[in-house]
Amino acid sequence: WLLLRPALPRIGGRLGAWRVHRALKRSLPASHYSVFRDIGSRPSQARGQPSARIDHVVVSPYGVFVIEARHSPGRISGSKRDALWTRSCFRSKQQFRNPLSQARDHALVLQDLTGLNASRFHPVVVFTGRVEFEQPMPARVTQLGGLVPFIQVRTQDLLGFDEAERVAALLESSRVPPGIQTAAAHLAALDYLVGGGET
């Protein structure tokens, strides 16, 4: 147990990421949605942003959905304006950066890459673990069962099929495979600032 315990957050994170990807691929028709997972982005010189790892991206005629995923169970407190959120599990408390802020930062990275303006992006946070919120969940924060409906109800034509195809092809051709530099930047930018946690 002592040897296994440190690996549990990583195992839980991989399982949660797989569940998100499976839900997106199963529920969103490929004729309208292109689903990407675990994208390593290049640094943005214009914004001075380091390389980052983007958990999930869905490109559609209805916009680009930038999904920040969290996989740890517990009780969550935080609002959209708080810089740090808190997760309480049993007797431990851990602080982590506001995931809504991370999703917006990742949307900025994709804005630079695609040339699209902010109105074409839908940043969203999804929790896959068994979590409870001390206050009502902020807008654009959901649990796994609410992620696909969040995407499906947005049917306003923001890109169109041709532009969505262009963006998906650009994203595929310019993505950076996750590697040592991307992972290091991701860990440095995230996650739990006190006590450690999953990415």
Side-chain angles (χ1 to χ4, degrees):
W1 169 250
L2 292 178
L3 294 175
L4 179 63
R5 186 175 180 181
L8 289 179
R10 186 178 300 275
I11 295 171
R14 289 181 177 177
L15 177 60
W18 174 79
R19 292 176 65 201
V20 172
H21 187 72
R22 182 183 65 169
L24 295 172
K25 293 290 284 186
R26 280 187 172 183
S27 304
L28 301 175
S31 59
H32 288 64
Y33 299 90
S34 298
V35 178
F36 298 89
R37 173 183 173 184
D38 205 20
I39 297 173
S41 70
R42 292 183 172 85
S44 170
Q45 302 298 330
R47 300 183 188 272
Q49 294 171 329
S51 59
R53 197 188 76 203
I54 304 174
D55 293 336
H56 306 270
V57 177
V58 177
V59 180
S60 76
Y62 320 114
V64 181
F65 297 84
V66 184
I67 302 165
E68 183 71 19
R70 286 287 171 270
H71 309 296
S72 291
R75 190 169 180 83
I76 307 296
S77 62
S79 71
K80 65 179 182 179
R81 295 183 178 86
D82 293 334
L84 298 177
W85 289 14
T86 301
R87 181 179 75 93
S88 302
C89 189
F90 300 108
R91 296 184 179 181
S92 67
K93 287 189 176 182
Q94 298 169 323
Q95 288 187 310
F96 58 101
R97 186 184 169 199
N98 183 336
L100 280 169
S101 177
Q102 289 179 254
R104 288 191 292 266
D105 286 349
H106 291 163
L108 289 174
V109 171
L110 295 182
Q111 282 180 240
D112 288 341
L113 173 64
T114 62
L116 300 174
N117 62 45
S119 65
R120 304 299 191 261
F121 290 85
H122 304 288
V124 58
V125 175
V126 59
F127 284 88
T128 64
R130 185 173 295 178
V131 297
E132 296 180 5
F133 289 82
E134 292 187 359
Q135 55 257 62
M137 284 189 295
R140 298 183 179 272
V141 177
T142 186
Q143 293 180 286
L144 183 58
L147 178 60
V148 170
F150 174 92
I151 295 172
Q152 290 176 328
V153 299
R154 285 157 173 80
T155 57
Q156 181 182 357
D157 196 341
L158 298 180
L159 297 182
F161 283 93
D162 290 344
E163 183 70 350
E165 185 176 348
R166 179 193 73 84
V167 170
L170 178 62
L171 193 58
E172 180 64 42
S173 65
S174 62
R175 65 191 299 185
V176 179
I180 295 175
Q181 291 182 339
T182 305
H186 186 66
L187 291 173
L190 302 180
D191 204 291
Y192 294 129
L193 302 179
V194 178
E198 97 290 348
T199 57

